[in-house]
Amino acid sequence: MSVFIAPVSQELLINVTPQETRVAVVENGVLQELHVERAHARGLVGNIYRGRVRRVLPGMQAAFVDIGLERAAFLHASDMQGAALAEDDGTATVAAPVTIPDDISNRLVEGQSIVVQVLKDPLGSKGARLSTELALPSRYLVLLPHTAHIGVSQRIEDEAERNRLRSTLTEMSTRNNAGFIVRTAAEGASEAALLHDAEYLLRLWQRIRGDMDRSAPESIVYQDLSLPVRTLRDLWAQNVERVRIDSREAFQQMRQFADEFMPGLAERIEHYSGERPLFDMYGVEDEIQRALERKVPLKSGGYLVLDQTEAMTTIDVNTGAFVGHKTLEETIFRTNLEAASALARQLRLRNLGGIIIVDFIDMQDEEHKRQVLRALDKALERDHAKTTISEVSALGLVQMTRKRTRESLEHVLCETCPHCQGRGTMKTAVTVCYEIFREIIRAARAYEAQGILVLAGAAVIDCLRDSEANSVAELELFIGRPIKLQVEPQYSQEQFDVVLV
């Protein structure tokens, strides 16, 4: 059985308000990615800072650097200037983690001023990840001002095209003693377009160098482009039919950028001025709500269950109501095949990164296992983030990683439940009643009082007055004091207070 992937038609929808900007990537009418940037918490990736070293940790070969944020940022020796360079994966360029022979304590001292660039936004309790190997991206290229290396995106597979791109930039690289990474979007680009990009980046670098000399420690030197313009730079592809944006100001900025760096494509950028909200018209708002749910239904009747934790994300595949028309093995195979495509979309849409464990339904046929992995690999080809997939393990699990540079959609839009503290469950009313009984005995033995007042949520008080009424009466006799019950509407089911009166 072959897996057919339909040609992709893509639209970029951009919703701008004073508070936040949202970018939706819609492929064949279905939402695939969502990027959110809020005015009070803009993404930091690509920004350049003059920082100050706060702590050097030789045991970790790392340092904490203060760049003026709430938390100190993290700099590892492998991300310092002089590390070997990795080729572009199509979306970003970073220094590849390698072992640096020189001890970090010989390169950094506490209090030292240092220029760094943000590789990863702060994630959860972790500070931003930094590099001293600066990289400035444009439409087709990434400038590496501290190296003469020329690399080409691994997604450009034609060897003749790779050689053409390298030779086009060789003279420019040698003359300016600077390196370049050729991005995926540069495939087929003219020599003039490539050199125009290179000249722009070199001019930008000269301006940044001047700002670096004048900047004070713990301050920003260079801030990356706004999200709408970055969308053109990073997400535009040949299959993008149009870009629709509902802000006149941002529309003009994008047209200006396109006129300079993407000649002939500016007419595909449209200003949307309709009365109906842009995201409503495309059903994006509903899709966002569904992307925050734990359960994802499949068309066949099966479903996925996604659980995001600090260490990893797990995805469980279930047949649900799908019973198929042939054998059980065939039903399982078809469910897993559909799940492979669906979970690839969910990874992009929810921006799930790090370690991901997929529990496909157990398959006996080795060919079925190979086809499901091929389907997953094919579905992930359109993902801008780099992914690595393992074979099916002895336990029937597929382990994979997805590069993460920003917070997941859930972390951006949601916060931990104050009632369950992220557990996803709450203690039953009966369990809380028994905790109250133990607390009453503890208080009665420790303090003198005329009586006891219990403050708790409605469900717990109802339980004390109904199914646990006999237990309350027996406890009153045991401690020799009356127990009064009072509902506190603001209390969650797990909250209570035992008050001495």
Side-chain angles (χ1 to χ4, degrees):
M1 177 180 176
S2 61
V3 179
F4 172 72
I5 304 295
V8 177
S9 169
Q10 192 175 89
E11 289 182 271
L12 303 178
L13 311 176
I14 306 176
N15 166 235
V16 179
T17 67
Q19 296 78 31
E20 71 175 1
T21 300
R22 300 182 299 171
V23 175
V25 179
V26 178
E27 294 178 356
N28 295 335
V30 179
L31 178 65
Q32 298 290 337
E33 292 182 34
L34 182 73
H35 300 258
V36 180
E37 183 173 87
R38 291 181 169 163
H40 70 275
R42 281 192 60 178
L44 306 178
V45 173
N47 289 357
I48 297 174
Y49 295 83
R50 178 170 291 281
R52 189 181 296 281
V53 178
R54 289 304 179 197
R55 289 182 64 196
V56 179
L57 307 171
M60 296 176 61
Q61 283 299 289
F64 286 106
V65 180
D66 190 346
I67 57 175
L69 303 179
E70 183 179 344
R71 289 192 298 271
F74 183 81
L75 173 65
H76 192 268
S78 62
D79 293 318
M80 296 186 67
Q81 188 177 337
L85 289 169
E87 292 198 337
D88 181 25
D89 66 5
T91 58
T93 308
V94 297
V98 295
T99 302
I100 303 295
D102 191 11
D103 191 280
I104 194 169
S105 58
N106 296 330
R107 310 179 74 181
L108 295 176
V109 295
E110 292 184 9
Q112 177 180 342
S113 175
I114 183 173
V115 175
V116 291
Q117 187 171 35
V118 177
L119 292 180
K120 292 183 179 181
D121 280 329
L123 298 171
S125 59
K126 300 176 182 176
R129 178 83 181 247
L130 304 176
S131 172
T132 63
E133 189 65 64
L134 306 185
L136 300 175
S138 66
R139 172 62 185 152
Y140 298 124
L141 306 172
V142 177
L143 173 67
L144 307 173
H146 293 147
T147 178
H149 170 85
I150 298 179
V152 181
S153 166
Q154 295 174 354
R155 294 188 179 182
I156 300 177
E157 297 179 353
D158 184 84
E159 196 59 37
E161 175 67 359
R162 294 174 67 87
N163 290 334
R164 181 188 76 88
L165 294 167
R166 280 198 183 94
S167 63
T168 299
L169 295 164
T170 298
E171 194 274 334
M172 180 76 78
S173 173
T174 303
R175 177 156 43 91
N176 294 279
N177 194 29
F180 295 95
I181 293 291
V182 182
R183 307 184 74 180
T184 307
E187 187 170 14
S190 67
E191 178 178 344
L194 292 170
L195 294 178
H196 181 270
D197 250 23
E199 290 167 357
Y200 159 76
L201 288 171
L202 290 166
R203 289 196 306 271
L204 176 62
W205 170 239
Q206 291 303 318
R207 194 191 82 196
I208 291 173
R209 284 187 64 180
D211 293 341
M212 284 166 49
D213 294 337
R214 292 186 294 270
S215 62
E218 303 166 34
S219 66
I220 188 166
V221 175
Y222 166 76
Q223 187 170 47
D224 203 4
L225 301 171
S226 65
L227 180 56
V229 180
R230 290 204 314 272
T231 298
L232 288 184
R233 186 189 70 191
D234 299 334
L235 299 181
W236 185 283
Q238 290 303 315
N239 60 332
V240 174
E241 291 187 351
R242 62 179 172 178
V243 179
R244 307 191 79 180
I245 181 166
D246 59 10
S247 163
R248 173 69 64 179
E249 181 182 357
F251 163 72
Q252 292 171 344
Q253 292 173 355
M254 294 174 73
R255 286 293 293 259
Q256 183 178 350
F257 181 87
D259 286 337
E260 184 174 359
F261 295 102
M262 308 163 74
L265 299 179
E267 64 272 10
R268 298 193 204 176
I269 305 171
E270 302 176 4
H271 176 240
Y272 175 76
S273 57
E275 291 188 8
R276 188 179 179 191
L278 179 61
F279 275 24
D280 285 358
M281 190 168 69
Y282 282 79
V284 172
E285 298 290 7
D286 292 338
E287 286 293 330
I288 294 173
Q289 294 305 314
R290 283 193 281 271
L292 299 176
E293 295 175 2
R294 183 169 173 255
K295 188 174 178 179
V296 179
L298 303 176
K299 291 181 179 178
S300 65
Y303 60 92
L304 310 177
V305 177
L306 293 90
D307 288 303
Q308 187 178 347
T309 68
E310 187 80 15
M312 67 182 72
T313 297
T314 61
I315 303 175
D316 186 32
V317 182
N318 298 278
T319 55
F322 183 46
V323 294
H325 301 288
K326 297 182 180 180
T327 63
L328 176 61
E329 176 69 15
E330 186 70 17
T331 300
I332 290 172
F333 171 55
R334 291 190 176 278
T335 303
N336 283 338
L337 211 55
E338 184 184 6
S341 176
L343 72 87
R345 173 179 176 254
Q346 292 298 322
L347 295 181
R348 290 178 64 189
L349 179 55
R350 300 172 187 238
N351 192 34
L352 299 172
I355 299 172
I356 299 161
I357 306 295
V358 185
D359 185 8
F360 284 107
I361 306 167
D362 290 341
M363 295 173 285
Q364 302 303 316
D365 191 316
E366 292 299 322
E367 179 59 25
H368 284 175
K369 293 180 183 178
R370 284 192 289 272
Q371 288 195 38
V372 168
L373 282 179
R374 280 202 297 270
L376 177 59
D377 195 46
K378 189 71 176 177
L380 288 168
E381 283 183 357
R382 299 199 295 271
D383 194 343
H384 294 283
K386 186 176 182 180
T387 56
T388 305
I389 308 173
S390 74
E391 296 295 320
V392 180
S393 73
L395 297 177
L397 305 175
V398 172
Q399 303 169 58
M400 61 180 292
T401 61
R402 183 174 184 270
K403 186 176 178 179
R404 174 171 53 193
T405 58
R406 55 191 174 93
E407 292 273 24
S408 69
L409 185 65
E410 180 182 303
H411 284 160
V412 172
L413 301 183
C414 305
E415 64 182 6
T416 302
C417 170
H419 301 304
C420 70
Q421 300 301 319
R423 297 198 313 270
T425 58
M426 286 197 303
K427 296 174 183 175
T428 65
V430 172
T431 298
V432 178
C433 287
Y434 295 166
E435 289 183 357
I436 290 172
F437 293 159
R438 289 192 289 272
E439 184 60 29
I440 288 173
I441 293 173
R442 205 175 288 121
R445 286 175 174 170
Y447 306 102
E448 292 292 334
Q450 298 298 312
I452 302 287
L453 173 63
V454 176
L455 306 175
V460 174
I461 296 298
D462 288 346
C463 187
L464 290 170
R465 288 172 175 167
D466 187 11
S467 58
E468 297 300 325
N470 288 338
S471 298
V472 174
E474 290 173 0
L475 187 56
E476 283 183 321
L477 291 173
F478 179 74
I479 64 173
R481 299 164 202 174
I483 300 173
K484 294 183 179 181
L485 308 175
Q486 180 176 316
V487 174
E488 279 295 327
Q490 302 302 318
Y491 278 24
S492 70
Q493 187 159 295
E494 294 189 0
Q495 283 181 286
F496 68 85
D497 282 305
V498 174
V499 183
L500 304 175
V501 293

